[in-house]
Structures are given as C-alpha cells and as structure tokens.
Amino acid sequence: MKISTKAWKNYITKMSGISKKAADLMQEWVQKNGFGDDKALLDYAYALSQKYGKAIGALSCQMYEATAAAQGVQIPSAEIADLPEYGEVAKAVHGTMKQSQLNVPSTVARLVKLVGADTTLKNAMRDGAQFAWVPNGDTCSFCITLASRGWQYMSKKALRNGHAEHIHAHCDCEYAVRFDGKSTVAGYEPDKYLEEYKNAGGDINAMRRIRYKENKDAINARKRELYAKQAYRKVERGQATEISMMRRGTESVISVKQVETYDTPVYISDRAKIKPKALNAINQNTEKALREYDIPIERKPVVVVLAEDELNNALGLYDPCTNTVYYNQTLSNQEIQELAGGRGAVERHEMWHMKQAEDFQRQEWTITRENRSEYLQKLCEKCKKNIDNAGITKDNVGEISEYAKIMYNRGRYDEVEAEFVTWKRKKV
C-alpha cells in the first residue's frame, strides 16, 4: 500500500493549519496586550496549547487509525499524547522571550505541533509499528537528515526527554507509520536522502551549502521574482506592540508595528519612515548574509527598522540576548550605504555578530542581559586572537575602515572582526 500524494498533502495541510491557527491567535493577543502581564501571557499560551494540542492530536489519531485499517491491521483506538503542562509552556515561552519576545507565537505553534508528533510516535511504540519522518516542500537539512533514517521501529531511544525530536515551527514535515513492513508514502525516498547526507560527509552545514549550490539558480530566480513583487508592495503595518532595546546599558521601550506582508518577523518603529523597496532590500540583504555565513534561515533574527535618533545615529545593532537586529531607516539612502562600505555591508556586519553569538551558544552559552558583559569580554578575547592571526595590528587596522581603527583602540575586537569580514567580502 502507498499513501497517495493527494491524501498525504491533505493530511499535512490540515496539521499545519492547526498549529498556524494557534500561532496567529497568539500573535493577535500579543499585539493587543503586549508582554507586560506575564501571567496573562502564559495563561493564554497554555490555553492555546491545550485547545489546539487536542485538535492536532485528534487528527494524528485519525490518520494513525486510518493507516492501520488500510493495511488490514486491527489496533486499539489511538490515544492523544500528553498535552503540554503549564510549567512546560512557561519554560518554553520564557526561554523564547530571552532570545526574542516576537518569536513567542512560533513557540506556541511548535508546542502544538509537538503534540501531533508525540501522538503518532507513542501509539507506534504501543503497537510495534514502524515510523518515518517524511519531508515536505523546501525542507531544511536537519529534516532531510532525519528522513534519511528510513523506516524504523519505535522505541524510547527515539524520543528526547519524552518527546519527538527536532520539532520546529514553519515546518510541514510529519511522521508517517506503517504496520506491514512494506507500505510507504508517495514521494518518500529515504535512500536518496541518505545519499545526500553521505555526500556531504555527514555534515549538516555542508549539506546546506551543497543544496544551495545545486539549486542557487532556481532559488535566486525565485527570490528575484518575490523581490519584484515585494519591492513595490504597500507596507501594511499591523497592530502596535512594544519592544525593549538595550544600547550601551540603557533600555529603550519602542512602539513598533509588524509588517504583515512578510513571512518572517519584520517590524517598523512608529516613528520610522521607509519605502517598500528599501525595506525589502534590507530584508533580502540580511537573508543573503545568513546564507553566506551558513546560518540556518530558521534562526533568522527579528528585523526592526528604527528612526535615526532611536538608534542613536548607529546604522545597525544586533542584540544576541533577543536575536533581534535593528537597522536605521537611513540605510535606504544610497549615499549612506556607500559611506558604510557599500550595499549590504551593514547587514553583513550585523549578521557576523549573530554568527559570533551562535558560535558561543553552540558551546552551551545562553546569552542574557545579565551575562552580556561577560559574553562580550570572552568574545573580544577570542576575536583578538582571530585578528592577530589575520595580521591585523594597530598600525594597519585603519586600512579596513576608520570605524575598525576606533574600535581597535577601544578594545572592541568583536567589532573589528565584523568589519574585517565585511571588508574582505567587498574585495572579493
């Protein structure tokens, strides 16, 4: 038996719709109420996780039972997996808020999606069924890696802390099951995925680079198409919310609105003015820099465009505590871009700061406002060694930029490294 493409697509579309509905409702609540009342925020997030967790769990049960019936297997009624406990929701939401408050809706979507995945796997373990992770659409390299494992028998080892592993928002991949050892899902090709994984030497980052190289013409053509559509599309701002920005030890609370015509979080300050084409260029340059630095697009920071004085005349600022990048509205000015190193230079500079933070987080660092000074100290020590190895000295650092020279004299070697990387890219 083979589950048809139409049947599988119908199933994953419904599953995705449930988690997206939870995220949309959370987004509406946040836009209306903000983050000031923590208990109210957690109560609402918990309520969504329960309501939509039950819905997605019930749909998983229906698919599980229908699959068994189609394969001629009699099983007990499928059972919905445990729904998130209040403390689990609070931990997930608070953890997200440390990175970026604006990603809370995606966290709620992930908690809901997790119930569906857990439901499939835990029933499979009960009944001795096999399972497989079936990719869909523009699948990330990690999902392809999971899919390359093929059909497996379920065991507790396949769970992580009692849950399905690698469940993230904005993903239409789902678990499938089989009871007869031979059925499959149309289009599922584990051998092909395994070959791709092996060709990359078992390195997920290498897989990303290879996939991009193989498909870059199609990807870039699609991006140009989307760019043309987006460039002149009206900037539709949603309801107001507030963000907290730290700069040089001073906190600023800024009123912003989300741009509803973007798929990823992009916000504009109430006081900022920017044309659609300029906003799209900033967003595209940010994503391009992420690809250049092998940072997964799923980790793309929240983009916030501010008025000139709100950023104290800086052109950009990356906050590793919230995974948010702030850009000055004056980046839309071509003359300003040239003075800053050329088109895309500011975005590359700020995304290098993100890469610096990502490298530390892979070493078990959780960067918070409380330990940010310690992080910067450790980072500058690391960057000093890097720029020393690159032959950068007090005498020649000015060849990079005047800003690099000033930062070198101040001991901000993280800034010097970011300037150096951006400068090298311009010379290529």
Side-chain angles (χ1 to χ4, degrees), residues 12 78 89 114 183 214 222 229 252 256 260 301 355 385 402:
I12 64 176
V89 174
L114 189 59
S183 294
E214 291 176 347
R222 177 59 177 159
K229 290 180 179 179
S252 301
V256 299
E260 296 181 338
K355 180 171 175 58
K385 294 178 182 178
E402 183 63 25

XYZ file of all heavy atoms in Angstrom, residues 12 78 89 114 183 214 222 229 252 256 260 301 355 385 402:
119
model
N -1.149 16.756 5.882
C -0.162 17.693 6.425
C -0.657 19.141 6.342
O -0.282 19.967 7.169
C 1.211 17.544 5.735
C 1.144 17.893 4.253
C 1.762 16.144 5.953
C 2.497 17.864 3.558
N -6.441 4.766 18.881
C -5.246 5.591 19.133
C -5.537 6.598 20.232
O -6.675 7.060 20.404
C -4.832 6.311 17.856
N 4.946 24.968 29.243
C 4.634 26.127 28.396
C 5.383 27.360 28.894
O 5.973 28.110 28.108
C 3.117 26.386 28.374
C 2.802 27.686 27.617
C 2.377 25.217 27.739
N 4.170 19.620 18.348
C 4.818 18.544 19.098
C 3.805 17.511 19.585
O 4.103 16.319 19.621
C 5.585 19.139 20.282
C 6.496 18.198 21.070
C 7.564 17.593 20.170
C 7.159 18.943 22.219
N 4.526 -0.873 3.336
C 3.812 0.311 2.844
C 4.693 1.554 2.966
O 5.685 1.563 3.703
C 2.521 0.517 3.640
O 1.615 -0.534 3.401
N 23.582 23.659 -5.710
C 22.883 22.922 -6.755
C 21.626 23.639 -7.227
O 21.218 23.509 -8.382
C 22.513 21.518 -6.250
C 23.715 20.606 -6.046
C 23.322 19.265 -5.458
O 22.167 19.148 -4.979
O 24.146 18.339 -5.481
N 13.727 32.661 -8.113
C 12.514 32.791 -7.311
C 12.598 34.006 -6.397
O 11.615 34.743 -6.232
C 12.305 31.515 -6.480
C 11.101 31.546 -5.549
C 9.819 31.770 -6.316
N 8.668 31.719 -5.419
C 7.489 32.245 -5.690
N 7.308 32.868 -6.858
N 6.496 32.156 -4.844
N 7.937 41.448 -6.682
C 6.569 41.580 -6.166
C 6.553 42.364 -4.861
O 5.674 43.168 -4.611
C 5.965 40.192 -5.940
C 5.667 39.429 -7.219
C 5.075 38.069 -6.902
C 4.745 37.296 -8.167
N 4.186 35.955 -7.873
N 15.551 51.145 26.161
C 14.570 51.992 25.487
C 13.370 51.139 25.110
O 13.527 50.034 24.576
C 15.161 52.611 24.215
O 16.295 53.397 24.513
N 6.330 49.656 18.023
C 6.544 49.181 16.659
C 5.285 48.499 16.135
O 4.395 48.147 16.892
C 7.733 48.186 16.586
C 9.021 48.830 17.024
C 7.437 46.939 17.428
N 2.912 43.094 7.884
C 2.140 41.868 7.679
C 2.365 41.221 6.327
O 1.926 40.097 6.095
C 0.655 42.170 7.884
C 0.327 42.614 9.315
C -1.141 42.887 9.541
O -1.848 43.150 8.544
O -1.580 42.829 10.701
N 17.117 36.420 12.609
C 16.675 37.289 13.703
C 15.454 38.112 13.325
O 15.146 38.287 12.139
C 17.884 38.200 13.941
C 18.581 38.245 12.618
C 18.376 36.886 12.003
N 26.559 35.496 13.977
C 27.367 34.273 13.875
C 28.276 34.140 15.089
O 28.477 33.024 15.609
C 28.187 34.284 12.584
C 29.050 33.035 12.416
C 29.673 32.967 11.055
C 30.623 31.777 10.948
N 29.937 30.496 11.228
N 42.454 37.133 19.149
C 43.309 36.074 18.623
C 43.086 35.911 17.127
O 44.035 35.716 16.356
C 43.025 34.760 19.350
C 43.401 34.768 20.825
C 43.040 33.442 21.490
C 43.375 33.467 22.977
N 42.971 32.192 23.652
N 37.814 53.366 9.149
C 38.045 54.260 10.277
C 37.341 53.738 11.523
O 37.860 53.835 12.632
C 37.541 55.675 9.935
C 37.809 56.710 11.022
C 39.292 56.939 11.282
O 40.104 56.686 10.365
O 39.630 57.373 12.402
